[in-house]
Amino acid sequence: MKSSVNSVESFSTLDGPGIRTVIFFNKCLLRCKYCHNPETWNMQGLNYTSEELLEKIKRFKSYFGERGGVTLSGGEPLLQNEFLLDFILKLKSEGIHVALDTAGITDKPFEHIVDNVDLIIFDIKDITEKRYHDLTGGDIKKAWKFLEYAKNKHKKFWIRQVIVPEVHDNIKFIEELNKYIKEHFNKSDIEKIEFLPYHKFGSDKYLSLNIPNNYKNKKAMDEKKCNVLYQKFLEFYNKD
């Protein structure tokens, strides 16, 4: 069995705890207007067996220390579920910490994958059915199904929300996000919540891939304003 991997990034300190190797899998059902990895949207050539990928990862194992490990990202890694489960079990047999970076949007079985990862880095996207579909083209109910299972399993979470100007940069959304997180997650299982300001770093990729860029004229999110909103969110979140 082979996977379709777009790239492998070593020595990341942003995608999970410690020093990590991040594997970007191809294919995604969403078409987020702010996506900075559109090159991972479609399935491409199969290029790694789980054994080959494991051998590549083991070269970096000495750098992981007690906190680091491997983060499975994309695209949406859950769409290559059979390969992913086999690979996760191989990583665990080597004592490697595994994080799953996902939006939970898949038409494949995901339960055994959730059972075996150490951490889920969850991309919320948005919190209402209408805005979620407008922003991503996807069905938020699939994300809810994923979250319900993971919540019942008491999986550890890092939560991420991209803050898009004129969509999320207001107090009303921040209040709603606070309620949403408390509804769909066990607060005791949340290790980190991050606000990521929308940026334009992936704009050139749309040109090179000849893909329409829905946010071509959208300005990047002001980082200072994003930080102010995050502090306001923490006020709501820490009240109870």
Side-chain angles (χ1 to χ4, degrees):
M1 184 190 307
K2 281 196 171 186
S3 64
S4 178
V5 172
N6 188 274
S7 62
V8 178
E9 176 186 324
S10 56
F11 302 105
S12 171
T13 58
L14 300 176
D15 299 290
I19 296 173
R20 311 191 70 80
T21 295
V22 184
I23 304 169
F24 294 90
F25 289 88
N26 287 315
K27 194 173 183 183
C28 187
L29 298 179
L30 301 180
R31 293 295 181 265
C32 299
K33 291 178 178 178
Y34 58 77
C35 180
H36 60 275
N37 290 326
E39 71 276 14
T40 65
W41 283 355
N42 297 312
M43 198 78 161
Q44 301 172 32
L46 302 177
N47 51 4
Y48 283 104
T49 66
S50 57
E51 291 82 9
E52 290 168 342
L53 201 52
L54 180 64
E55 287 304 310
K56 188 177 183 70
I57 297 303
K58 284 166 66 175
R59 299 206 302 265
F60 308 111
K61 186 178 177 181
S62 61
Y63 297 100
F64 294 160
E66 295 183 359
R67 299 183 67 245
V70 171
T71 297
L72 310 169
S73 188
E76 175 52 72
L78 291 175
L79 294 171
Q80 299 187 52
N81 64 319
E82 292 183 8
F83 174 90
L84 202 68
L85 179 59
D86 179 63
F87 182 53
I88 289 169
L89 293 176
K90 284 182 169 62
L91 290 171
K92 298 303 296 178
S93 71
E94 293 287 337
I96 296 174
H97 182 280
V98 181
L100 173 69
D101 186 352
T102 181
I105 303 296
T106 181
D107 52 7
K108 308 286 186 182
F110 58 78
E111 289 81 2
H112 290 318
I113 292 170
V114 170
D115 292 345
N116 286 283
V117 298
D118 300 293
L119 173 69
I120 298 173
I121 302 172
F122 191 80
D123 302 310
I124 288 184
K125 311 291 186 185
D126 207 293
I127 57 178
T128 70
E129 291 185 58
K130 184 179 184 303
R131 280 203 313 265
Y132 193 97
H133 185 267
D134 178 66
L135 192 67
T136 72
D139 181 0
I140 198 173
K141 291 179 182 177
K142 290 184 177 181
W144 292 344
K145 180 181 177 182
F146 176 89
L147 288 176
E148 181 180 13
Y149 183 84
K151 179 180 181 180
N152 290 336
K153 290 289 183 175
H154 285 278
K155 302 306 294 188
K156 296 300 179 184
F157 276 94
W158 282 20
I159 300 172
R160 288 176 167 174
Q161 173 65 57
V162 174
I163 303 298
V164 178
E166 301 174 339
V167 180
H168 305 126
D169 58 341
N170 58 82
I171 295 299
K172 185 175 185 295
F173 175 78
I174 300 306
E175 291 177 322
E176 292 173 347
L177 179 64
N178 172 54
K179 294 177 183 178
Y180 182 91
I181 289 175
K182 289 175 180 175
E183 176 183 356
H184 290 281
F185 301 83
N186 298 309
K187 193 172 182 179
S188 60
D189 296 331
I190 299 173
E191 295 185 349
K192 191 174 188 178
I193 300 174
E194 298 178 301
F195 280 14
L196 306 179
Y198 164 72
H199 59 70
K200 308 282 286 185
F201 298 153
S203 298
D204 291 343
K205 295 180 181 180
Y206 288 85
L207 289 173
S208 63
L209 294 168
N210 196 29
I211 298 174
N213 184 353
N214 290 293
Y215 276 3
K216 179 180 179 180
N217 298 316
K218 173 76 73 175
K219 292 183 178 180
M221 180 65 199
D222 181 84
E223 292 191 18
K224 289 183 179 180
K225 183 176 181 181
C226 189
N227 289 334
V228 169
L229 289 169
Y230 181 67
Q231 294 305 316
K232 192 66 180 177
F233 165 80
L234 290 179
E235 290 181 23
F236 296 131
Y237 182 73
N238 292 323
K239 277 183 179 179
D240 49 49

